[in-house]
């Protein structure tokens, strides 16, 4: 099923200087007479890194917490930029985990899944300009939906060195947010046709390899032990991965 058949988006207009997507809330659409989800609708705005530092990353971040439509602790007064992450499985059934550099701003030295964030500029969005034309809005929604999938492939390629041709289509698992500063991230599952040794070799020349100091290929048991040293949203990404595995084996 193509991305346009899975995702629908509402671009919410907030008057800010925009460079990254801001997560607002989500709505699930169900098939008639079924408990199966047919669509995930994300309500997104636009924000910027300066606002992120001043709200989510502020020592006083809890003062920005107010209830929102889908969750009593989701915050509309924070920047809450939407990140992404990939639980990436090699051909020999290992999971890729990166050790972040001590020189990065957020969570230096922590274990993380490959990821980053989707880019509004990739779909031609640079500011809040809501089109009155329905066809144009629908086209923007489709482009944003596709960017959710395209962006996680880009991040995996840049951070691990794996070529795009070795990666499967991303499978969306859900949204996770940190308990600390409530930053949200969309998590995906991706299979790689390369084995652990091949990935390790490619990692040495990864474009964004400077953001991490080591690439680990680990078993599910080893991964579970590493989650205590992961940021909260990545810990949540692991929980989503386990839920996916349980559903596929039940």
């Amino acid at each position: 099923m193509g991305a346009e058949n899975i995702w629908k988006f509402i671009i919410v207009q907030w008057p800010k200087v925009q460079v990254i997507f801001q997560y607002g809330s989500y709505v699930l659409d169900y098939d008639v007479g079924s408990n199966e989800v047919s669509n995930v609708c994300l309500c997104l705005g636009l924000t910027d890194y300066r606002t992120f530092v001043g709200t989510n990353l502020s020592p006083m971040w809890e003062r920005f917490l107010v209830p929102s439509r889908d969750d009593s602790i989701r915050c509309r007064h924070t920047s809450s930029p939407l990140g992404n992450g990939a639980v990436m499985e090699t051909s020999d059934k290992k999971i890729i985990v990166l050790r972040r550099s001590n020189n990065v701003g957020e969570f230096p030295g922590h274990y993380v899944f490959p990821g980053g964030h989707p880019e509004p500029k990739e779909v031609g969005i640079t500011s809040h300009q809501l089109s009155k034309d329905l066809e144009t809005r629908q086209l923007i929604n489709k482009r944003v939906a596709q960017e959710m999938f395209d962006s996680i492939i880009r991040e995996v390629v840049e951070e691990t060195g794996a070529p795009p041709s070795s990666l499967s289509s991303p499978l969306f698992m859900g949204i996770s947010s940190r308990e600390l500063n409530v930053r949200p991230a969309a998590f995906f599952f991706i299979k790689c046709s390369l084995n652990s040794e091949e990935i390790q070799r490619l990692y040495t020349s990864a474009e964004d390899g400077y953001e991490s100091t080591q690439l680990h290929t680990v078993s599910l048991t080893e991964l579970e032990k590493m989650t205590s040293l992961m940021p909260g949203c990545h810990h949540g990404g692991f929980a989503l991965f386990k839920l996916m595995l349980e559903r596929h084996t039940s």
Side-chain angles (χ1 to χ4, degrees):
M1 184 180 294
E4 69 277 6
N5 296 321
I6 299 176
W7 297 72
K8 297 188 298 182
F9 290 83
I10 301 172
I11 305 298
V12 181
Q13 303 302 301
W14 287 306
K16 296 180 182 177
V17 177
Q18 326 312 347
V19 289
I20 45 182
F21 287 113
Q22 178 181 41
Y23 176 71
S25 61
Y26 70 90
V27 177
L28 301 179
D29 292 339
Y30 292 88
D31 289 327
V32 177
S34 169
N35 290 326
E36 293 295 319
V37 175
S38 58
N39 290 286
V40 179
C41 176
L42 298 186
C43 298
L44 302 177
L46 294 171
T47 186
D48 57 83
Y49 190 75
R50 179 180 60 186
T51 309
F52 174 49
V53 171
T55 57
N56 293 84
L57 295 187
S58 167
M60 300 180 291
W61 63 271
E62 290 178 291
R63 295 187 181 184
F64 295 98
L65 300 187
V66 295
S68 70
R69 183 173 61 189
D70 62 301
D71 192 318
S72 61
I73 64 167
R74 295 283 185 211
C75 348
R76 294 186 179 183
H77 290 213
T78 58
S79 173
S80 296
L82 180 64
N84 60 21
V87 178
M88 179 179 168
E89 183 183 75
T90 64
S91 62
D92 51 341
K93 305 299 181 183
K94 300 293 186 180
I95 303 298
I96 301 296
V97 179
L98 301 174
R99 187 73 179 259
R100 283 176 66 77
S101 167
N102 288 323
N103 297 320
V104 296
E106 284 191 85
F107 294 98
H110 283 61
Y111 293 118
V112 293
F113 297 112
H117 56 81
E119 296 276 5
K121 66 181 181 181
E122 292 291 334
V123 294
I125 298 175
T126 58
S127 63
H128 284 303
Q129 296 178 345
L130 181 62
S131 172
K132 296 181 180 180
D133 177 61
L134 177 60
E135 185 176 346
T136 300
R137 294 203 304 270
Q138 290 175 336
L139 178 60
I140 291 173
N141 282 347
K142 288 183 178 180
R143 287 176 177 172
V144 172
Q146 190 59 51
E147 170 60 10
M148 296 297 126
F149 294 87
D150 292 347
S151 62
I152 191 58
I153 292 292
R154 284 198 310 270
E155 296 290 356
V156 165
V157 170
E158 291 171 2
E159 294 192 356
T160 69
S165 59
S166 70
L167 304 175
S168 69
S169 296
L171 174 65
F172 175 65
M173 297 190 295
I175 303 282
S176 168
S177 69
R178 301 173 187 165
E179 291 187 12
L180 174 68
N181 78 36
V182 295
R183 184 181 183 179
F187 277 89
F188 299 81
F189 175 64
I190 297 177
K191 287 188 175 183
C192 180
S193 61
L194 304 176
N195 62 36
S196 299
E197 291 185 3
E198 291 170 318
I199 289 291
Q200 288 285 4
R201 286 196 296 270
L202 290 167
Y203 171 69
T204 60
S205 56
E207 180 179 342
D208 286 351
Y210 63 90
E211 294 182 359
S212 60
T213 57
Q214 193 171 0
L215 181 146
H216 300 266
T217 55
V218 299
S219 67
L220 186 61
T221 302
E222 292 169 323
L223 177 58
E224 190 152 19
K225 294 177 181 178
M226 299 169 80
T227 57
S228 62
L229 289 176
M230 284 185 165
C233 54
H234 285 253
H235 198 162
F238 173 68
L240 289 168
F241 177 54
K242 287 204 301 182
L243 287 172
M244 184 194 77
L245 293 178
E246 290 170 4
R247 179 169 183 179
H248 287 181
T249 57
S250 62

